[in-house]
Amino acid sequence: MICDKIIIRKIMNKDSILKEVTMMPFISKLNSRLLSLSTNERRLSAEAYMRNQFPFIGVDTTTRRKVFKAILEEAGKPLFEDLDKTINYLFTLERELQYCAVELFALYKKEWDSDSIAIIEKCIVTKSWWDTVDYIASDLAGPYFKLFPKQIIPVTERWNKSGNFWLQRSSLLFQKKYREQTNKDLLAKYILHCAHSNEFFIQKAIGWCLREFAKTDPAWVKKFVQQNALKPLSVREALKHF
């Protein structure tokens, strides 16, 4: 109990928005348990790997997921109506807790509605980097658009034309696991719109989504690369396994 109070105080000191965290045992227990298993060596290594952009607690992915699962069993899942608030809280904390936030959202798939795209998009544009965005694009946005296909064009077209390259990257990657269900015309359209970008993460995403789709339709990918002017990085990534 004393430990939980210390952790709650620690969280609240970070941001006044967390004043209600005492009402959320899921967050306080998760944070407390992860902190008890952290190591300074792991923290410094993770922060360096992410170019010191985000503070880390210092636990590996396997440990984090085991703790996450255990706390869900102990404290129970937050109510769906509290999910947006819970995710907002988690995104104010260390990077491992932000990973937990997006993985938590995935657990509510049966409760998603068409408006759930607002949470997905918020996660994409909040403290954006490839380690969260790529998971969100393929494991959250991808399944969401299968549930709500009428949302694909209005949402992903807006992402693709936006000035936010993480949203653009997501418009390219949301079909990454679609395989035979991939909309090739849409994929081609979105790639060509971004093909001249000098942004590394866009060039890499173009190559990556083409490389993944090549596992399903290598002939289409090879022809597409031959017929269109893509950046060298995109071409190398696309044809990596040919």
Side-chain angles (χ1 to χ4, degrees):
M1 182 65 69
I2 293 175
C3 181
D4 279 352
K5 288 181 179 178
I6 292 172
I7 297 305
I8 289 169
R9 194 180 303 115
K10 177 178 182 293
I11 295 171
M12 291 176 70
N13 287 339
K14 290 183 177 182
D15 194 327
S16 60
I17 193 175
L18 301 182
K19 63 183 179 181
E20 297 178 45
V21 77
T22 53
M23 306 293 289
M24 304 176 72
F26 170 77
I27 291 179
S28 60
K29 287 179 180 292
L30 179 61
N31 192 43
S32 177
R33 192 75 56 84
L34 289 175
L35 280 169
S36 71
L37 297 170
S38 67
T39 67
N40 194 50
E41 180 182 7
R42 177 66 190 172
R43 177 182 65 81
L44 292 174
S45 174
E47 289 177 351
Y49 184 61
M50 289 297 161
R51 301 183 183 180
N52 295 303
Q53 295 187 93
F54 313 105
F56 278 75
I57 290 176
V59 295
D60 61 83
T61 300
T62 300
T63 299
R64 175 181 63 76
R65 285 180 170 157
K66 285 182 179 178
V67 169
F68 178 60
K69 182 179 179 181
I71 298 301
L72 282 171
E73 293 173 354
E74 293 173 20
K77 287 199 307 181
L79 296 174
F80 182 70
E81 52 264 36
D82 292 332
L83 188 57
D84 190 21
K85 180 172 65 176
T86 302
I87 289 174
N88 285 341
Y89 285 172
L90 289 169
F91 261 90
T92 68
L93 305 177
E94 289 87 352
R95 197 62 167 172
E96 291 95 337
L97 288 157
Q98 295 166 31
Y99 299 155
C100 289
V102 294
E103 291 177 10
L104 177 67
F105 184 73
L107 299 179
Y108 291 81
K109 184 177 178 181
K110 291 182 179 179
E111 299 173 76
W112 290 355
D113 56 30
S114 61
D115 293 335
S116 294
I117 191 61
I119 296 178
I120 293 174
E121 185 167 329
K122 186 188 298 183
C123 289
I124 292 173
V125 300
T126 303
K127 298 183 180 179
S128 310
W129 199 246
W130 63 265
D131 56 329
T132 53
V133 170
D134 292 358
Y135 174 87
I136 296 165
S138 62
D139 289 70
L140 297 184
Y144 168 86
F145 288 123
K146 283 192 173 183
L147 289 172
F148 305 99
K150 290 184 180 180
Q151 291 279 70
I152 292 176
I153 299 301
V155 174
T156 62
E157 189 166 278
R158 175 171 56 80
W159 288 358
N160 190 251
K161 293 180 179 179
S162 76
N164 185 310
F165 67 80
W166 294 112
L167 288 175
Q168 289 183 314
R169 184 174 170 98
S170 298
S171 75
L172 297 167
L173 296 179
F174 82 90
Q175 295 193 87
K176 186 168 75 74
K177 296 184 178 181
Y178 281 18
R179 299 181 181 177
E180 292 83 2
Q181 296 178 327
T182 298
N183 182 328
K184 292 184 282 191
D185 291 338
L186 195 64
L187 179 63
K189 177 183 177 181
Y190 287 175
I191 288 174
L192 293 177
H193 181 261
C194 298
H196 300 295
S197 173
N198 291 320
E199 172 55 53
F200 169 84
F201 288 108
I202 294 300
Q203 294 179 25
K204 190 83 169 179
I206 289 172
W208 189 16
C209 63
L210 287 171
R211 185 173 76 240
E212 285 299 308
F213 188 53
K215 298 174 183 177
T216 300
D217 194 340
W220 185 90
V221 170
K222 190 172 183 179
K223 183 178 180 180
F224 180 84
V225 172
Q226 290 174 338
Q227 292 183 343
N228 294 284
L230 303 178
K231 295 286 186 177
L233 174 59
S234 298
V235 174
R236 287 198 303 273
E237 289 294 319
L239 304 180
K240 197 169 186 177
H241 299 309
F242 274 82

